[in-house]
Amino acid sequence: EIVMTQSPATLSVSPGERATLSCRASQSVSSNLAWYQQKPGQAPRLLIYGASTRATGIPARFSGSGSGTEFTLTISSLQSEDFAVYYCQQYNNWYTFGQGTKLEIK
Amino acid sequence: QVQLVQSGAEVKKPGASVKVSCKASGYTFTSYYMHWVRQAPGQGLEWMGIINPSDGSTSYAQKFQGRVTMTRDTSTSTVYMELSSLRSADTAVYYCARVGVSSGYSDYWGQGTLVTVSS
């Protein structure tokens, strides 16, 4: 099973600043990597697929990069609605999720 | 618009089974696979398995092999997930999530169904 490791577990950032979230795979997943946002009491929402393609309706402040085993989700200027938990998911070899990064207001 | 509407919350006793439904609308049901993913209270997302609504073929995570069964009814555009031999650790929100045929990520998710296992 491919293990996905996200860091940090919690990230404290002020509104308007940039947030950088990391996701590492235990073996190469090529570009078969997605990012989701989840707010309390809600289902996850797809942000990024193919490591760097924004899903429909996702603002341009969200960007994804990386391939192989190292991936990054960047939120360029944090808005109040961006504070949530973020998960990465690989779909190269079956499907596994990272444990999540909680993005909180500093 | 694409919608996945799941059945309501369930409370079950240890050892029982639960069957959760997910009714799809707004797209061609047989053109998209469906994942089932669960989330224990305060925990992360856990993939359980996938079903192809076109032919009913399934693949399950090894952890759930022998305890989970995923089925579909094309006449009602509904997929089902049944989990047996329930224990307290199965208390979680269960989600269905649509998958593109040639991809693995999920672009639409159901609202989730809370299953509580308690004696």
Side-chain angles (χ1 to χ4, degrees), chain B residues 12-18 38 40 46 62-68 83-92 94 115-119:
Chain B
K12 296 292 183 181
K13 294 193 181 301
S17 297
V18 68
R38 77 176 185 180
E46 182 176 32
Q62 187 168 5
K63 176 177 179 177
F64 300 101
Q65 290 273 2
R67 279 211 304 146
V68 70
L83 189 63
S84 62
S85 303
L86 290 169
R87 38 222 187 214
S88 59
D90 293 318
T91 294
Y94 290 76
V115 175
T116 303
V117 182
S118 174
S119 55

Side-chain angles (χ1 to χ4, degrees), chain A residues 31-48:
Chain A
S31 294
N32 296 313
L33 191 285
W35 289 94
Y36 300 89
Q37 176 194 69
Q38 188 179 35
K39 297 179 179 179
Q42 295 184 16
R45 177 174 74 142
L46 177 67
L47 299 175
I48 301 284

Side-chain angles (χ1 to χ4, degrees), chain A residues 9-91:
Chain A
T10 303
L11 182 62
S12 298
V13 183
S14 299
E17 293 189 342
R18 173 188 297 255
T20 302
L21 289 68
S22 296
C23 175
R24 174 177 293 178
S26 61
Q27 64 188 76
S28 177
V29 299
S30 187
S31 294
N32 296 313
L33 191 285
W35 289 94
Y36 300 89
Q37 176 194 69
Q38 188 179 35
K39 297 179 179 179
Q42 295 184 16
R45 177 174 74 142
L46 177 67
L47 299 175
I48 301 284
Y49 63 90
S52 60
T53 303
R54 276 190 304 277
T56 303
I58 301 303
R61 64 180 182 273
F62 290 90
S63 63
S65 63
S67 65
T69 61
E70 300 283 344
F71 300 89
T72 300
L73 174 69
T74 301
I75 311 171
S76 60
S77 178
L78 280 164
Q79 307 296 303
S80 58
E81 62 267 29
D82 299 336
F83 293 95
V85 179
Y86 291 82
Y87 294 95
C88 61
Q89 177 210 20
Q90 69 82 20
Y91 50 94

Side-chain angles (χ1 to χ4, degrees), chain B residues 20-116:
Chain B
V20 178
S21 67
C22 169
K23 183 174 177 59
S25 62
Y27 70 96
T28 302
F29 177 66
T30 52
S31 293
Y32 294 83
Y33 289 56
M34 197 78 77
H35 284 311
W36 285 92
V37 175
R38 77 176 185 180
Q39 186 171 39
Q43 303 301 308
L45 302 169
E46 182 176 32
W47 181 74
M48 299 182 67
I50 187 169
I51 182 168
N52 179 355
S54 180
D55 62 7
S57 59
T58 56
S59 293
Y60 304 136
Q62 187 168 5
K63 176 177 179 177
F64 300 101
Q65 290 273 2
R67 279 211 304 146
V68 70
T69 304
M70 297 176 187
T71 57
R72 94 298 190 206
D73 181 343
T74 56
S75 68
T76 60
S77 299
T78 302
V79 295
Y80 300 90
M81 186 285 299
E82 184 171 21
L83 189 63
S84 62
S85 303
L86 290 169
R87 38 222 187 214
S88 59
D90 293 318
T91 294
V93 175
Y94 290 76
Y95 293 102
C96 58
R98 193 186 81 161
V99 187
V101 173
S102 56
S103 72
Y105 58 86
S106 294
D107 54 359
Y108 289 92
W109 293 65
Q111 84 276 20
T113 297
L114 175 62
V115 175
T116 303

